[in-house]
Amino acid sequence: MAGDMSSSAGDNNKKTACVTGGSGYIGSALIKLLLEEGYAVKTTVRNPGSILPSFRFSVSWLLLFRAVQIDGGGCDVIVNPTTVLPMLRIDLDLVCFLFPETPDDMQKNSHLKDLQQLGPLTVFRADMDEEDSFDDAVAGCDYVFLVAAPLNFSAQDPEKEQIEPAVRGTLNAMRSCVKAGTVRRVILTSSVAAVIRPDLQGDGHGHVLDENSWSDVEYLRANKPPTWAHCVSKVLLEKEACRFAEEHGISLVTVCPVIVVGAAPAPKARSSIVDCLSLLSGNEALLAALKGIEKTSGGVQLVHVDDLCRAELFVAEEAAAVGRYICCSLNTTVVEIARFLARKYPQYGVETNLPTDDDQQLLEKPRVSLSSAKLVREGFEFKYKTLDEIYGDVVEYGKALGILPY
Ligand SMILES: NC(=O)c1ccc[n+]([C@@H]2O[C@H](COP(=O)([O-])OP(=O)(O)OC[C@H]3O[C@@H](n4cnc5c(N)ncnc54)[C@H](OP(=O)(O)O)[C@@H]3O)[C@@H](O)[C@H]2O)c1
């Protein structure tokens, strides 16, 4: 089911990697890195958008071919245009109905055409809700990066609409990896959300969390603090993926990124970017979200998207890599970020005297830190370690996305 970018990925001389969720923020950056590193890349999107016209066309011809085969009992058939054309019309209508294209899809996926300039990139349609949906995309791949994830923070029924689809979708994709028979390693993108909740309260500073820390599913389900279902979904999908990998002899490595910042090819703003730019954009609701993150996480933990993608590739290629890897290069606070941004970008008039109240007591220093010592010990080096480095390209990205004025 490839779109009009078909056939180039799968080049025999290149290693092939599949990245699920190519329309997304991290997915798009990972595709770029892999292409730059000489990989042939296959990616999946739910609605191929601008790729769709030829996608519709090729599917229609497949359906037509099948119809002719059935009609002809498997023998050579001379295609009669008067019977074939109405059939093609019905096929097209059906495909257009099944995969409607919206201007939003076209915008969301426009970067994939640009990325194609960097190397062999094939786009497939796949949905985590559908069994076997990833079969074509992962077939023949050496590595599969599971980046796509249903993010449904406004679910009425979080168990049914957030947690179950996330776990089921991850296993659907992993089943496709088993079927492929070529996949050397699956790299699952989880989240700090699976590590950190509830925040360790208590005497103050100095809690350091590593890969042995798991968010407490029982506590989260019982108390339902903000974004609880997201955290539960990440814990459960990690554990289920691990169980499945062991059962089926798959090499699985999990990466748990903290808040990801930095420019990526995706042309649509994601929450980590808009939250981290809220001090510059002056958007109070988003700033409240950033403060909320600090409150529930005991700090603001950051990693640059380039470092995250490099870390994902590192754990894919390192034969000895095993288990979970926290990906965090800086533990900071809202107040520290505000002071830094005020100094670096005086033109935005960033408020450094941030109001604190009982509900939103801001921290001077992080109370909880996330440690990437395991990743570093095994040979990975972060490139972006300071606020200056991490925020280096995100202001320009924010301008390009329309979050910040020029
Ligand atoms: N950004 C961060 O700060 C951060 C931090 C920690 C962990 N993470 C994790 O990293 C992963 C990617 O995050 P992101 O920031 O790149 O998010 P994003 O930009 O929203 O991308 C999510 C991707 O998942 C796809 N997707 C959603 N539901 C799907 C489904 N049912 N079937 C197939 N694809 C589906 C989306 O496709 P559509 O375009 O079709 O919706 C999109 O491509 C997520 O697992 C997220 O939890 C992100």
Side-chain angles (χ1 to χ4, degrees):
M1 286 225 214
D4 63 351
M5 299 171 180
S6 59
S7 76
S8 41
D11 181 333
N12 285 339
N13 300 319
K14 287 175 180 273
K15 278 193 264 180
T16 304
C18 176
V19 177
T20 67
S23 61
Y25 170 57
I26 295 169
S28 70
L30 188 53
I31 292 170
K32 179 166 178 281
L33 175 74
L34 289 165
L35 291 170
E36 286 167 349
E37 292 294 320
Y39 276 80
V41 181
K42 297 163 100 180
T43 191
T44 67
V45 296
R46 275 190 290 187
N47 291 308
S50 57
I51 305 159
L52 210 51
S54 62
F55 167 75
R56 286 174 173 148
F57 190 73
S58 56
V59 172
S60 295
W61 274 107
L62 271 178
L63 291 171
L64 175 63
F65 178 65
R66 185 101 190 96
V68 170
Q69 269 189 325
I70 291 163
D71 190 39
C75 306
D76 286 344
V77 174
I78 298 167
V79 176
N80 176 352
T82 53
T83 52
V84 160
L85 286 176
M87 220 187 296
L88 180 60
R89 180 69 258 153
I90 292 163
D91 289 345
L92 265 173
D93 288 346
L94 177 68
V95 175
C96 291
F97 172 74
L98 288 175
F99 308 114
E101 179 179 8
T102 66
D104 185 46
D105 296 327
M106 291 175 69
Q107 195 230 348
K108 253 193 334 202
N109 296 322
S110 58
H111 59 287
L112 295 175
K113 279 200 186 288
D114 299 335
L115 286 173
Q116 223 190 349
Q117 306 305 313
L118 298 178
L121 171 64
T122 315
V123 182
F124 292 77
R125 184 197 164 273
D127 193 317
M128 295 174 78
D129 288 337
E130 296 165 16
E131 263 185 60
D132 309 329
S133 198
F134 290 87
D135 285 5
D136 293 342
V138 304
C141 285
D142 299 288
Y143 301 116
V144 174
F145 295 86
L146 300 182
V147 183
L151 303 168
N152 188 356
F153 291 102
S154 55
Q156 296 291 311
D157 182 347
E159 293 284 351
K160 291 247 159 334
E161 295 167 43
Q162 169 80 41
I163 298 168
E164 287 173 21
V167 175
R168 199 173 49 236
T170 304
L171 294 181
N172 274 345
M174 289 189 68
R175 260 188 285 277
S176 297
C177 297
V178 175
K179 273 188 252 170
T182 55
V183 178
R184 290 197 232 168
R185 179 163 286 169
V186 174
I187 303 88
L188 173 65
T189 304
S190 178
S191 170
V192 64
V195 177
I196 206 168
R197 300 283 294 278
D199 162 31
L200 300 168
Q201 301 295 327
D203 54 344
H205 307 96
H207 294 297
V208 179
L209 300 182
D210 64 12
E211 287 77 7
N212 294 314
S213 171
W214 289 90
S215 291
D216 184 339
V217 168
E218 246 175 66
Y219 166 88
L220 292 165
R221 276 187 164 141
N223 294 282
K224 302 192 175 7
T227 69
W228 68 272
H230 178 63
C231 303
V232 171
S233 78
K234 292 296 185 189
V235 171
L236 297 187
L237 74 80
E238 265 196 55
K239 292 194 167 174
E240 279 299 296
C242 215
R243 184 193 54 73
F244 183 90
E246 269 170 27
E247 260 177 40
H248 292 85
I250 292 182
S251 170
L252 171 76
V253 174
T254 303
V255 179
C256 298
V258 293
I259 301 171
V260 188
V261 197
K268 213 174 157 202
R270 303 294 164 159
S271 67
S272 54
I273 295 294
V274 293
D275 290 352
C276 287
L277 287 176
S278 60
L279 283 154
L280 295 174
S281 68
N283 185 317
E284 287 297 331
L286 297 171
L287 179 54
L290 189 64
K291 291 177 183 174
I293 290 173
E294 177 177 285
K295 192 165 184 249
T296 53
S297 310
V300 179
Q301 297 88 15
L302 299 175
V303 67
H304 193 282
V305 68
D306 288 356
D307 273 342
L308 169 61
C309 295
R310 289 175 51 250
E312 296 232 1
L313 184 54
F314 176 83
V315 297
E317 290 179 339
E318 276 297 313
V322 65
R324 293 173 108 192
Y325 289 85
I326 288 173
C327 193
C328 171
S329 64
L330 184 70
N331 291 279
T332 184
T333 63
V334 174
V335 167
E336 284 182 342
I337 298 173
R339 288 183 192 141
F340 157 75
L341 291 174
R343 255 192 334 270
K344 174 117 193 208
Y345 304 101
Q347 65 274 31
Y348 287 98
V350 175
E351 179 64 75
T352 51
N353 191 17
L354 291 166
T356 58
D357 54 43
D358 286 349
D359 218 30
Q360 288 285 7
Q361 192 72 46
L362 293 176
L363 301 169
E364 272 296 330
K365 291 282 166 207
R367 194 157 37 73
V368 177
S369 294
L370 270 283
S371 167
S372 275
K374 180 182 176 194
L375 199 50
V376 172
R377 205 168 45 240
E378 293 183 16
F380 181 75
E381 222 178 297
F382 284 99
K383 277 190 184 166
Y384 307 83
K385 297 180 202 157
T386 63
L387 279 174
D388 204 16
E389 289 162 347
I390 289 173
Y391 269 86
D393 58 4
V394 76
V395 169
E396 286 310 309
Y397 186 48
K399 287 181 189 170
L401 296 179
I403 302 166
L404 297 175
Y406 273 95

